Structures are given as structure tokens and as C-alpha cells.
Amino acid sequence: MSYGFRLFKLLRLFKTLRILRLLRYSRSFQIIINVLNKEKTALTSVCFMALGYIIVSALVMFSVEPDSFNTFFDAVYWATTALTTVGYGDIYPVTTIGRIVSMVSSVLGIAFVALPSGIITAGYMKEINEKGNLN
């Protein structure tokens, strides 16, 4: 990389940090921070539930599809991509039972991804109702 390109990236970083400093004056941003602080335990429990989902889903898939997943870490990788609904397609089940487990796992993954957004939205609406509107 040339020196000028590095300088340009550094200036862009400072500009981004300056914009982030302005967020502390935003009422909406303050409400979101308050919601995250108030709903910390619920969001933490959802994260632990998602982690448990990944482990259980990986264990089930690893035992159902021993030929498709060489290691348990491959099954954990698959379960993580199924949870986030990314699904790169590099590791996938090939048997019928494995595909059924995969479908159930994907549906549950969508539910686990939707839980934090529902918690944050409900907390945001509650915070707005407590403090009045944003105007």
C-alpha cells in the first residue's frame, strides 16, 4: 500500500469517529442505549439460548450425518450458519433425516434471530411511552 492510501484511510477513520461522537447528542441513540441497559439480562439469556441451540443442533447433526461432517467443529460451523440463516452451502446434510433436522434447525434459527429484535423493539416502545415522544 502506498503512503497516500494509508493517510486517506486514516483520515476516513477520524471522520467516522467524529460522526460517532455526535451520536451522544441524539435522543434516539440515548433511548437505544437505555433500552440495551434495561434489557441486558433478557438479551444475555437469548445469547446463551442461541449458544445452547448451536451446541445441541451440532450434536444432533454430527450424530445423524457422520459422513458429511468430519469433525464436531464442522457441525458447529454448520449450526452457526443455520442459526444466522447464512448457509454458505459448503457443508450440508445429504440424508433425508439430516435434511429434516436441517429444516427444523433453520426454522428455530430464524426464531432465535428474531428474539433480540422483538425485545429491543418492545423496550424501545416502552421507553418512548415513559419519556414521551422524541420531539
Side-chain angles (χ1 to χ4, degrees), residues 28-87:
S28 296
F29 189 70
Q30 289 299 319
I31 289 174
I32 290 173
I33 295 297
N34 290 341
V35 167
L36 291 176
N37 284 332
K38 287 180 181 177
E39 302 296 335
K40 190 183 322 181
T41 56
L43 292 171
T44 303
S45 64
V46 168
C47 286
F48 280 116
M49 285 174 30
L51 185 63
Y53 156 82
I54 288 172
I55 299 297
V56 168
S57 182
L59 283 170
V60 169
M61 190 57 80
F62 188 65
S63 62
V64 170
E65 291 275 338
D67 297 332
S68 297
F69 302 98
N70 297 328
T71 64
F72 180 68
F73 182 75
D74 288 342
V76 170
Y77 167 76
W78 170 84
T80 304
T81 59
L83 169 71
T84 58
T85 65
V86 173

Side-chain angles (χ1 to χ4, degrees), residues 9 42 62 82 118 126:
K9 285 176 64 174
F62 188 65
K126 183 178 175 185

Side-chain angles (χ1 to χ4, degrees), residues 9-24:
K9 285 176 64 174
L10 186 64
L11 290 174
R12 190 172 58 182
L13 175 68
F14 285 140
K15 186 176 183 179
T16 304
L17 291 176
R18 188 174 56 190
I19 290 172
L20 289 176
R21 273 194 330 193
L22 292 175
L23 285 177
R24 72 178 137 180

